DNA sequence: TAAATTTCTTGATTTTTGTCAAGTGCAAAC
DNA sequence: GTTTGCACTTGACAAAAATCAAGAAATTTA
């Protein structure tokens, strides 16, 4: 069983082995060099990808600054969901912070999945529900935690990221400036 | 066509009139007096409701404070999604800030919907995707906006709430203290 | 390897937001 | 209608976080 198949099995609860193989066959290998764009804000995002290896940064450019919405790593799916599903202009730019290997399905094949895998919509619904709950928790962290508490929580769960990418992006993703991030980091290293 | 049916039609894109009627018939009228609980943290949430009238507050109690995650009003659906779908203990308490009229479907019937309405899972997937995108925007507001900017944005879109419920709950929902909220409010009234 | 670029750190300072405490206004309850 | 609670406001102050600027460290490029 390929890596992709294993992940599909893990992500989409209750999917059968046959279904996994069928789904996996619709994904194409896609390679990004460090610095390549996966998606640019305003374009249409007509694909969904699974990250086999590498790190992507999802961000938006405002007048005076860039805001990093999320850092996506091995094992995550990546897309602009609103653009993929509702065909709205992409809200995010996405580019690679390292050389990256993706498995990508285009919108056409993605939309066929429910005809190939009867339970697909149900499976995807469960997947989306999980994503929704994760985001609820993330909102809650901004309502209830200080910058330092958000740092510590994220650090516990994502230590490995801290020596792989520029920390300024993690700072932005956690809703603080690089300077604040640096000071909290110094404190927590002692 | 009843109010509930109209809203179902609006929420779940592409659903047919017959399907709407079938779905609507599974919802039961539920009345809450001001101050009644819809759900308590830690319990199982085995229902999903549509708010016909009234206002609900969704919050969590921490050691030292209560944090309001969301204020739900007419036209919204309300539940603890993780608890409804994955049967985990409810993360939120939900109670009514005013007398409230709901249309409620229990988990058993909810889980039958896909057998009654063939496209249900697909419809629900689209609905969840919309919810996800809304939460993405909410996270982004915390990464990119100041307390004052979040206040103004929310005020523009939800003026009517500001004279219907205690403002401290809106403050909490926007991630600031009642005092900060009050000062911003004073400024923006001038 | 050296130069250039980017990232990170640090200090000084300002701004924003939170905390604490007192007081006002209002509405529900008696 | 007086009392009792809330909810809200306000002021003084403290803490958290942002900003600005300079320089150090690390990484990339030549």
């Amino acid at each position: 069983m390929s890596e992709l198949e294993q992940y599909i099995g893990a992500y989409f609860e209750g999917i059968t082995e046959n279904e996994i193989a069928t789904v996996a066959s619709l994904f194409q290998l896609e390679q990004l060099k460090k610095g390549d764009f996966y998606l640019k804000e305003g374009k249409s995002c007509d694909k969904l990808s699974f990250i086999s290896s590498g790190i992507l940064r999802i961000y938006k450019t405002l007048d005076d600054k860039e805001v990093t919405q999320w850092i996506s790593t091995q094992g995550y799916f990546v897309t602009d969901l609103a653009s993929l599903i509702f065909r709205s202009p992409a809200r995010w730019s996405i580019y690679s912070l390292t050389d990256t290997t993706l498995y990508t399905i285009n919108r056409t094949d993605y939309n066929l999945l429910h005809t190939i895998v009867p339970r697909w919509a149900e499976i995807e619904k469960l997947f989306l529900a999980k994503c929704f709950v994760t985001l609820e928790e993330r909102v809650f962290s901004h309502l209830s935690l200080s910058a330092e508490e958000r740092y510590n929580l994220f650090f516990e769960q994502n230590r490995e990221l801290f020596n792989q990418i520029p920390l300024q992006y993690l700072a932005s993703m956690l809703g603080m400036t690089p300077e604040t991030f640096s000071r909290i980091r110094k404190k927590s290293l002692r």
Side-chain angles (χ1 to χ4, degrees), chain A residues 12 22 46 66 81 83 118 130:
Chain A
F12 302 112
T22 310
D46 53 6
E66 279 182 0
L81 194 71
S83 185
K130 256 192 212 165

Side-chain angles (χ1 to χ4, degrees), chain A residues 90-147:
Chain A
R91 296 157 306 149
W92 315 115
S93 292
I94 304 179
Y95 89 115
S96 58
L97 293 171
T98 65
D99 290 355
T100 298
T101 301
L102 304 168
Y103 291 101
T104 298
I105 187 170
N106 62 44
R107 190 194 279 127
T108 309
D109 287 342
Y110 165 77
N111 285 333
L112 285 176
L113 280 173
H114 74 278
T115 65
I116 298 166
V117 180
R119 288 185 56 255
W120 177 254
E122 171 71 12
I123 288 165
E124 197 180 15
K125 182 198 100 176
L126 292 176
F127 178 68
L128 272 177
K130 256 192 212 165
C131 294
F132 177 85
V133 169
T134 303
L135 271 192
E136 276 190 317
E137 296 298 336
R138 195 165 170 218
V139 167
F140 191 77
S141 79
H142 282 277
L143 302 185
S144 61
L145 302 180
S146 66

Side-chain angles (χ1 to χ4, degrees), chain A residues 147 167-168 170-172 174-184:
Chain A
L167 299 178
Q168 54 181 309
L170 295 181
S172 177
L174 291 172
M176 65 187 84
T177 61
E179 292 93 335
T180 295
F181 186 97
S182 174
R183 291 184 177 107
I184 291 171

Side-chain angles (χ1 to χ4, degrees), chain A residues 13-169:
Chain A
E13 290 179 25
I15 193 171
T16 69
E17 295 231 352
N18 277 341
E19 289 171 337
I20 291 174
T22 310
V23 171
S25 70
L26 294 174
F27 283 80
Q28 310 286 324
L29 193 69
E30 182 178 358
Q31 304 267 6
L32 296 178
K33 286 268 174 231
K34 176 174 177 172
D36 285 352
F37 275 85
Y38 173 81
L39 174 66
K40 288 196 182 179
E41 207 178 325
K43 305 275 182 188
S44 174
C45 180
D46 53 6
K47 57 186 179 178
L48 166 72
S49 301
F50 167 81
I51 304 178
S52 170
S53 70
I55 305 178
L56 298 179
R57 177 166 80 104
I58 297 157
Y59 70 98
K60 179 181 266 184
T61 303
L62 303 180
D63 298 339
D64 47 341
K65 59 184 172 185
E66 279 182 0
V67 178
T68 298
Q69 169 81 353
W70 191 246
I71 304 288
S72 223
T73 54
Q74 182 181 47
Y76 278 90
F77 280 93
V78 65
T79 188
D80 181 307
L81 194 71
S83 185
L84 177 70
I85 294 190
F86 305 114
R87 294 179 179 247
S88 49
R91 296 157 306 149
W92 315 115
S93 292
I94 304 179
Y95 89 115
S96 58
L97 293 171
T98 65
D99 290 355
T100 298
T101 301
L102 304 168
Y103 291 101
T104 298
I105 187 170
N106 62 44
R107 190 194 279 127
T108 309
D109 287 342
Y110 165 77
N111 285 333
L112 285 176
L113 280 173
H114 74 278
T115 65
I116 298 166
V117 180
R119 288 185 56 255
W120 177 254
E122 171 71 12
I123 288 165
E124 197 180 15
K125 182 198 100 176
L126 292 176
F127 178 68
L128 272 177
K130 256 192 212 165
C131 294
F132 177 85
V133 169
T134 303
L135 271 192
E136 276 190 317
E137 296 298 336
R138 195 165 170 218
V139 167
F140 191 77
S141 79
H142 282 277
L143 302 185
S144 61
L145 302 180
S146 66
E148 186 168 348
E149 291 169 322
R150 291 198 302 278
Y151 175 100
N152 288 325
L153 185 64
F154 188 78
F155 181 68
E156 280 167 31
Q157 294 166 359
N158 303 274
R159 263 166 222 276
E160 68 292 349
L161 262 187
F162 284 66
N163 48 28
Q164 293 185 52
I165 61 169
L167 299 178
Q168 54 181 309
Y169 302 138

